[in-house]
Amino acid sequence: MYADYHVHSDYSDDSWYLMEDVIKDAIEKGLDEICFTDHVDYGVKNDWQEGETYLVKENKVVRNVHYQRYFAEIQRLTKKYSTQISIKMGLEFGMQRHTISKFQKLFDTYNFDFILLSIHQINDKEFWTGDFQKGRTHEECYDIYYDELYEVVSSYNDYSVLAHMDLIRRYLDKETDAFSYCKNKIEKILKVVIENGKGIEVNTSSTRYEINGLTPSVEILKLYYQLGGKIITIGSDSHESDHLAFHINESKKILKEIGFTHFCTFEKMEPIYHRL
């Protein structure tokens, strides 16, 4: 099984990659399956309102996914390309403690195959703009980030895997792995994840973000394995053609070296195991 389980399209505010182009490229690259996981970030982005003009490509308005269009297009393209590739329906929930109820309502409204759970901002302060990090030491950023992640996974259960678990590192010191400093908090989070029957992902974007190591780090992957974690997906976090399927097979080799025997795809929120 050659699958990419972290794929963004033009429905994400930070991508201009049209959904059908993603599928055509995935087929060309030999992928058996992809899952669209476009961004929803309540607290910093609004939903589309009735009467607003929907735009694509560079002129689009910053919003969460336009759900009606998104799901309709996935269904249409699934039928069109059914003999060439399997297409799964997902979203990436950029969750904060105070937005949990909005995500619960969204999850309860639609039928999903897969949900990535992420922390992209805290108290509506974005990481990518530097607003969250402003005035804080790296240690403080890590502490607050992992405390937020712990509270979210302890309060919300309708997700499949944690995306790029150590994401905050992307916006701090990319050369230094703070695993030793954060280990106790990370272990606490992973125990909840495993107890709740959830998983984590290998996010292959670390190379393009010039991070020294994997995302999450090999140390986190090893700890997850040692704690008994078995549910693991692999995704490119692609936003354009060059990203799609990047380093998927190489990541499988790394997982095997750690001791994992299987990776997962999903259908209707249930993991399907494939031998590495």
Side-chain angles (χ1 to χ4, degrees), residues 255-269:
L255 289 174
K256 286 184 72 173
E257 290 170 0
I258 291 171
F260 291 98
T261 57
H262 294 78
F263 73 101
C264 293
T265 59
F266 275 75
E267 184 169 357
K268 297 179 180 178
M269 297 298 292

Side-chain angles (χ1 to χ4, degrees), residues 82-147:
S82 61
T83 61
Q84 297 170 272
I85 192 168
S86 174
I87 302 166
K88 295 300 173 66
M89 190 178 296
L91 285 173
E92 182 174 2
F93 285 4
M95 195 173 288
Q96 305 175 71
R97 274 183 260 193
H98 71 279
T99 63
I100 288 175
S101 62
K102 290 187 175 182
F103 282 102
Q104 187 65 67
K105 183 179 179 180
L106 174 59
F107 180 84
D108 292 341
T109 303
Y110 298 97
N111 296 317
F112 294 97
D113 289 305
F114 181 70
I115 296 292
L116 288 169
L117 180 59
S118 303
I119 304 288
H120 292 136
Q121 55 281 133
I122 297 174
N123 293 326
D124 296 340
K125 301 292 185 183
E126 295 272 24
F127 302 159
W128 73 272
T129 62
D131 287 347
F132 169 73
Q133 301 93 293
K134 196 175 297 181
R136 294 188 170 111
T137 65
H138 286 194
E139 289 78 11
E140 289 170 333
C141 289
Y142 277 114
D143 285 339
I144 296 169
Y145 172 79
Y146 283 119
D147 287 345

Side-chain angles (χ1 to χ4, degrees), residues 11 13 39-48 54 61-67:
Y11 286 96
D13 66 291
H39 286 298
V40 179
D41 291 280
Y42 286 121
V44 297
K45 299 171 195 167
N46 296 319
D47 284 339
W48 286 91
Y54 186 79
V61 180
V62 174
R63 292 283 189 273
N64 288 318
V65 169
H66 192 299
Y67 308 119

Side-chain angles (χ1 to χ4, degrees), residues 41-59:
D41 291 280
Y42 286 121
V44 297
K45 299 171 195 167
N46 296 319
D47 284 339
W48 286 91
Q49 301 300 312
E50 187 174 349
E52 288 186 317
T53 302
Y54 186 79
L55 301 172
V56 299
K57 303 295 280 185
E58 288 83 352
N59 293 322

Side-chain angles (χ1 to χ4, degrees), residues 1 17 33 81 208 218 229 246:
M1 170 62 75
Y17 197 5
E33 184 166 304
Y81 293 96
R208 72 173 186 267
V218 170
F246 178 77

Side-chain angles (χ1 to χ4, degrees), residues 65-79:
V65 169
H66 192 299
Y67 308 119
Q68 291 79 14
R69 294 177 66 100
Y70 180 74
F71 295 120
E73 185 161 7
I74 290 178
Q75 290 172 350
R76 177 180 68 82
L77 294 173
T78 296
K79 291 178 182 177

Side-chain angles (χ1 to χ4, degrees), residues 6 8 10-11 62 77 129 174 196 219 260-261 270 275:
H6 194 148
H8 296 286
D10 191 67
Y11 286 96
V62 174
L77 294 173
T129 62
K174 297 180 183 181
N196 289 340
E219 287 74 16
F260 291 98
T261 57
E270 292 295 326
R275 184 164 290 279

